[in-house]
Amino acid sequence: MSQTEQLTEPNEAPTVPPTPNRVKDVLRRLIGTRRVIIGFVMIALLAALAFLGPLISAWDIGERDYLARLAEPSPEHWFGTNGTGQDIFTQSTAGLQKSLLIGLLVALLSTGVAAIVGSFAGYFGKFPDKALMWIADLALVLPSFVILAILSKHFIGQGGWFILVILLAAFSWMVTSKMVRGLTISLREREYIHAARFMGVPPHKIILRHILPNMSSLLIADATIMVSSAIIGETALSYFGLGVQAPDISLGVVIADGAAFATTAWWVFMPPTLLLVLLVLGVNMIGDGLRDALDPSSKSRRS
């Protein structure tokens, strides 16, 4: 036995991290992609506005100015007020903050579930694969909008929005899990995976240390795109009164309250709507650029 083999631990296998050249190449493409830079700047500015806006505003979220109902934008109310005298700037920035948090949490949860389910199904195959994919197929055909509408009463009260996050994530992981499963089936036949099995590395460690890191590009791009999907989904539900419930607030709630005044008092409807459009646009620009940087063939195919 050689000295190298004597120093190798029985339960460790060599990982296959991304090469420095690969990382530098991805970073170079990201920096050189204008829409990614614009997207990052947009999201950074919107995030700063979301978290600093309610702090610098002279009005609290639920505070009402009964002497200035449906008032136009002014030095006292920067974005004007709604029909009950609430400050639109405070409402919009607080709603932007909550929508951004919901989008990020849904993306993290759904991508994490998809990665675990898809990788375990693809690695073990046979009965675990059939069982997990059957669950994914069942979740795909369930009427998610109807289920969320039935359970919307549980979103009422402080912290109810987190239940909405869990439910949105529960209906968002299935397609990605199938993609992860296909990649796992391919990766499990690689030499370093066979070496890890031969050394006695437990399956869960092989999946977490060797398989999932090698599909990080897919997971990162999917999580980025999922942020905008979750924000749009939450906004749609809140617009119909089935999403975030009072006393919580989101962009969907603010837009729904201002929809009736879209043609008569534009300042009630336009600011939150514009923030929503900019937020989704910025996230999509980052996700599109990440997909091109991590998978250059996708750019060439579109070209």
Side-chain angles (χ1 to χ4, degrees):
M1 181 180 296
S2 66
Q3 184 178 2
T4 304
E5 291 175 337
Q6 291 176 351
L7 294 176
T8 303
E9 294 294 334
N11 287 331
E12 292 185 359
T15 58
V16 185
T19 62
N21 290 335
R22 165 67 172 166
V23 175
K24 290 180 181 179
D25 189 40
V26 170
L27 290 177
R28 189 182 304 112
R29 285 198 295 267
L30 283 176
I31 295 174
T33 306
R34 182 180 300 177
R35 63 178 176 275
V36 174
I37 303 301
I38 296 175
F40 273 117
V41 172
M42 289 174 60
I43 295 301
L45 292 176
L46 288 172
L49 180 64
F51 288 93
L52 295 179
L55 298 179
I56 64 176
S57 175
W59 301 87
D60 293 331
I61 297 176
E63 188 176 1
R64 290 176 169 83
D65 185 357
Y66 294 104
L67 300 178
R69 291 184 295 179
L70 281 182
E72 296 185 3
S74 65
E76 187 175 2
H77 298 284
W78 299 340
F79 286 179
T81 62
N82 60 16
T84 60
Q86 293 175 314
D87 187 73
I88 297 298
F89 176 80
T90 307
Q91 293 267 306
S92 298
T93 53
L96 175 64
Q97 179 185 135
K98 188 59 60 69
S99 293
L100 189 58
L101 287 174
I102 290 174
L104 291 173
L105 288 175
V106 170
L108 289 175
L109 288 175
S110 63
T111 303
V113 172
I116 297 299
V117 172
S119 59
F120 273 76
Y123 182 83
F124 289 104
K126 298 181 181 179
F127 177 76
D129 182 20
K130 292 181 179 180
L132 292 173
M133 289 300 100
W134 181 84
I135 295 174
D137 292 335
L138 177 63
L140 275 173
V141 300
L142 288 176
S144 57
F145 188 88
V146 175
I147 294 175
L148 289 170
I150 295 174
L151 299 176
S152 61
K153 62 181 180 181
H154 297 290
F155 307 153
I156 301 175
Q158 196 68 25
W161 64 273
F162 190 70
I163 300 176
L164 175 61
V165 167
I166 296 175
L167 291 174
L168 285 173
F171 291 104
S172 305
W173 58 271
M174 295 80 71
V175 175
T176 305
S177 70
K178 292 179 176 293
M179 299 171 61
V180 172
R181 171 184 174 270
L183 288 175
T184 302
I185 292 175
S186 175
L187 289 172
R188 72 182 181 184
E189 303 302 327
R190 300 288 178 90
E191 289 79 4
Y192 61 91
I193 301 297
H194 288 300
R197 289 200 205 100
F198 181 76
M199 292 178 181
V201 180
H204 69 278
K205 289 186 177 180
I206 294 177
I207 293 172
L208 297 176
R209 294 181 182 178
H210 306 297
I211 292 181
L212 289 180
N214 281 279
M215 59 179 72
S216 58
S217 59
L218 166 68
L219 298 176
I220 292 173
D222 177 79
T224 305
I225 296 172
M226 184 56 64
V227 172
S228 61
S229 299
I231 291 172
I232 293 174
E234 177 275 323
T235 302
L237 286 169
S238 298
Y239 183 85
F240 291 107
L242 304 174
V244 175
Q245 305 286 331
D248 286 324
I249 192 170
S250 70
L251 283 178
V253 174
V254 183
I255 292 173
D257 291 340
F261 304 97
T263 57
T264 57
W266 60 267
W267 59 87
V268 182
F269 179 74
M270 287 302 297
T273 304
L274 182 60
L275 289 176
L276 175 64
V277 171
L278 293 176
L279 178 60
V280 174
L281 178 62
V283 172
N284 285 341
M285 292 175 73
I286 294 174
D288 196 37
L290 280 172
R291 182 176 57 189
D292 287 346
L294 296 170
D295 183 14
S297 62
S298 65
K299 183 176 181 180
S300 62
R301 283 196 299 269
R302 284 202 305 275
S303 300

